[in-house]
Amino acid sequence: MATGRGSRYLLTIGRWRRSFGIAPQFRALAALVPGVSHVDNKSDFLGKRPHRRHPGILQLSCVRLPQALAEAAQLLLLGSAMPNMEKQVQALTNYLWSRHLPVEPEELQRRAVLLEKKILENADSCQTEKHHEEILHALRRTTYHWQELSYSEGLSLVYMAARLDGGFAAVSRAFHEIQARLPEFQPQTLMDFGSGTGSVTWAAHSTWGQSLREYMCVDSSAAMLELAEKLLKGGSGSGMPCVPGVFFRQFLPVSPKVQFDVVVAAFSLSELPSKADRTDVVQTLWRKTGHFLVLIENGTKAGHSLLMDARDLVLNVRFFLLLSPYPPFPTYSHQFLCPHELPCPQLTASKPLACSFSQAYYPIPFSWNKKPKEEKFSLVILARGSPEKANRWPRITQPVLKRPRHVHCHLCCPDGHMQHAVITARRHGRDLYRCARVSSWGDLLPVITPLELPPSAQDAQDAPES
């Protein structure tokens, strides 16, 4: 960690600390995260809150389904005649988690050309037809066969048993991120693309039920929409819905002027058959976003890569909207979740990893489903408008390892790099050490970067040493 870059940060921050009378033992933190100073409570940073509730804490405790939703799901499954439900649930869960994105035609063509060259090098050039058969056979054997899922009434029930609780936990964590950081935000309208069983509606009602007055659920499957409506009505086709103001439709609203405060696509983009389709849908969803666009996928490399493509598309969409015939809203956008808008360091590493979150939840109480589980998911939250001045704190990207008198944190930093930080009270200060020790995977670590220093501190940082 003792690099030339780290030494430069250590020198500049050391000057600032000497000018403001900060203890020398904190200087080592400059090597912890590039350009970071220590955290203390001299400026009433924590207020009256204990360290275990510092402002970077964003993890939810173990999430539980609303009682009305859990009872409705149990009623529907008990009333169904589906055999071997437990095995079907496990099979669908494994299939959805291991699913890859469909191979694009350009990639398939590239593979075919490489196979043709390899076969022609060791074969008789006269047997052209046989070579074509060999190429097709090799492509079938080595190419992932993506298939679109058609949700019938039976498969919709299996999906509900497999994914209702985990999906609710992931979406609840995403909404909590917005609510915790912007408590004044009170959305009135929400659209859920690929709404499935309606877990987004229930999570949104649990988070902003006092302000939301309209929920638009869009799903191409009529069976899924019928199931979601039954869940809202306690497991039957009649009765009053538990959440008022919910509307169901199979297609997106046509009018380009119709917008929603929050737009969500949870585990839906991976159901689209091509990158072109995903691009069209993401652009449409962004046009319909008034404030926040929330995208969630499985916490796999495929899911994370898909979300990064969507993120890059939206962050650059202002250039397309300048040419659009429908520019009634601001074209500025920013990343709300990550501390930077640079390429994801997890994907550009020598061994790429999925940037993901983990949320504990209590599953629907079936005989095979009693212990708490963890939902691992990738998440992108994009906001409309220019970003307000805020702390760009590093985000913890893996479980925090707590050891005697030191803590290991893996951080995604504002400069777009990953950092493995080993934090101790002696080297980095009691407040930062205690904040790190009570933090969890997905939280923000409250450290200060040079961009956040006051102007007087910036001047002192640039002044030559005496």
Side-chain angles (χ1 to χ4, degrees):
M1 202 176 289
T3 62
R5 183 182 187 188
S7 301
R8 175 169 60 84
Y9 279 111
L10 180 62
L11 176 62
T12 55
I13 292 182
R15 293 174 184 167
W16 176 71
R17 288 173 175 153
R18 282 193 295 274
S19 301
F20 287 83
I22 296 177
Q25 63 263 33
F26 296 123
R27 295 175 188 168
L29 186 60
L32 171 67
V33 182
V36 169
S37 68
H38 74 286
V39 170
D40 60 31
N41 200 23
K42 293 179 181 178
S43 59
D44 199 27
F45 172 77
L46 292 169
K48 296 182 179 180
R49 288 174 294 189
H51 291 86
R52 68 177 180 276
R53 295 180 182 173
H54 71 76
I57 296 287
L58 295 168
Q59 184 65 277
L60 284 171
S61 57
C62 200
V63 172
R64 191 186 299 272
L65 287 176
Q67 185 176 354
L69 177 58
E71 290 176 354
Q74 287 179 296
L75 181 63
L76 286 170
L77 282 178
L78 290 174
S80 68
M82 296 286 293
N84 302 319
M85 178 60 76
E86 182 180 356
K87 291 183 179 179
Q88 292 192 59
V89 166
Q90 190 61 50
L92 180 61
T93 301
N94 294 339
Y95 174 74
L96 292 174
W97 181 257
S98 61
R99 207 176 186 199
H100 296 279
L101 296 177
V103 180
E104 297 297 320
E106 297 81 4
E107 174 63 17
L108 199 61
Q109 179 67 27
R110 187 188 67 84
R111 294 181 185 181
V113 171
L114 291 176
L115 285 171
E116 185 178 25
K117 289 182 179 178
K118 185 176 180 180
I119 291 173
L120 289 178
E121 287 177 357
N122 305 312
D124 185 0
S125 58
C126 297
Q127 299 178 340
T128 306
E129 185 175 346
K130 184 178 180 181
H131 295 161
H132 288 165
E133 292 178 0
E134 289 183 24
I135 293 170
L136 290 175
H137 179 71
L139 284 176
R140 293 191 189 100
R141 189 179 66 252
T142 59
T143 301
Y144 177 75
H145 298 280
W146 186 90
Q147 289 183 328
E148 183 177 359
L149 288 174
S150 178
Y151 286 97
S152 61
E153 183 179 349
L155 185 57
S156 297
L157 277 173
V158 176
Y159 184 87
M160 180 194 70
R163 296 294 305 136
L164 177 63
D165 40 21
F168 177 86
V171 177
S172 296
R173 171 64 180 84
F175 289 164
H176 177 69
E177 178 90 18
I178 300 173
Q179 185 188 49
R181 293 171 58 183
L182 289 176
E184 69 278 7
F185 176 64
Q186 296 294 317
Q188 295 189 3
T189 57
L190 176 141
M191 185 180 75
D192 179 15
F193 174 77
S195 55
T197 57
S199 57
V200 170
T201 293
W202 288 88
H205 182 70
S206 299
T207 306
W208 295 299
Q210 298 298 321
S211 64
L212 278 169
R213 56 179 176 78
E214 179 184 348
Y215 307 78
M216 179 66 69
C217 297
V218 181
D219 200 293
S220 60
S221 170
M224 274 290 193
L225 293 178
E226 184 179 354
L227 176 60
E229 189 171 7
K230 286 182 179 180
L231 287 170
L232 280 173
K233 295 180 178 180
S236 65
S238 59
M240 294 296 293
C242 298
V243 180
V246 181
F247 302 92
F248 298 95
R249 59 187 303 164
Q250 287 185 271
F251 304 99
L252 285 167
V254 177
S255 174
K257 296 182 179 180
V258 175
Q259 284 193 314
F260 300 83
D261 293 333
V262 180
V263 175
V264 183
F267 308 101
S268 303
L269 295 180
S270 54
E271 296 290 335
L272 299 174
S274 69
K275 186 174 182 179
D277 290 318
R278 293 193 296 272
T279 298
D280 290 342
V281 167
V282 169
Q283 288 179 335
T284 300
L285 295 180
W286 182 242
R287 282 197 297 269
K288 297 192 176 301
T289 299
H291 290 90
F292 288 100
L293 174 60
V294 180
L295 305 175
I296 305 175
E297 290 293 337
N298 286 333
T300 60
K301 285 189 284 187
H304 178 218
S305 177
L306 182 156
L307 291 184
M308 289 301 98
D309 290 342
R311 184 199 76 156
D312 294 341
L313 178 66
V314 171
L315 291 180
N316 296 323
V317 78
R318 68 193 68 174
F319 301 109
F320 297 100
L321 291 178
L322 289 174
L323 304 176
S324 171
Y326 311 110
F329 43 79
T331 58
Y332 296 105
S333 58
H334 65 277
Q335 166 69 279
F336 184 78
L337 191 71
C338 296
H340 61 84
E341 295 183 353
L342 300 168
C344 181
Q346 297 276 56
L347 286 181
T348 56
S350 56
K351 293 183 179 180
L353 298 172
C355 182
S356 59
F357 294 76
S358 179
Q359 178 59 54
Y361 67 94
Y362 293 104
I364 303 173
F366 298 124
S367 58
W368 71 86
N369 226 13
K370 294 183 178 180
K371 296 181 180 180
K373 295 183 177 181
E374 293 279 338
E375 177 72 9
K376 188 179 178 183
F377 59 98
S378 291
L379 171 65
V380 163
I381 301 177
L382 296 152
R384 195 173 286 288
S386 300
E388 297 179 2
K389 184 178 180 182
N391 291 320
R392 285 287 185 175
W393 292 337
R395 189 174 292 273
I396 301 172
T397 60
Q398 294 183 28
V400 175
L401 301 179
K402 303 171 186 178
R403 297 293 182 263
R405 294 187 295 277
H406 68 279
V407 181
H408 292 260
C409 293
H410 291 82
L411 306 172
C412 182
C413 301
D415 65 351
H417 291 83
M418 297 298 299
Q419 191 78 21
H420 177 193
V422 182
I423 303 172
T424 68
R426 184 179 65 83
R427 295 181 63 200
H428 308 123
R430 172 179 172 273
D431 288 304
L432 176 58
Y433 171 70
R434 294 190 64 181
C435 285
R437 198 163 186 86
V438 299
S439 297
S440 305
W441 182 2
D443 288 340
L444 300 174
L445 190 63
V447 292
I448 305 167
T449 65
L451 296 178
E452 299 163 344
L453 297 178
S456 56
Q458 289 279 12
D459 296 339
Q461 187 178 7
D462 296 332
E465 289 189 272
S466 58

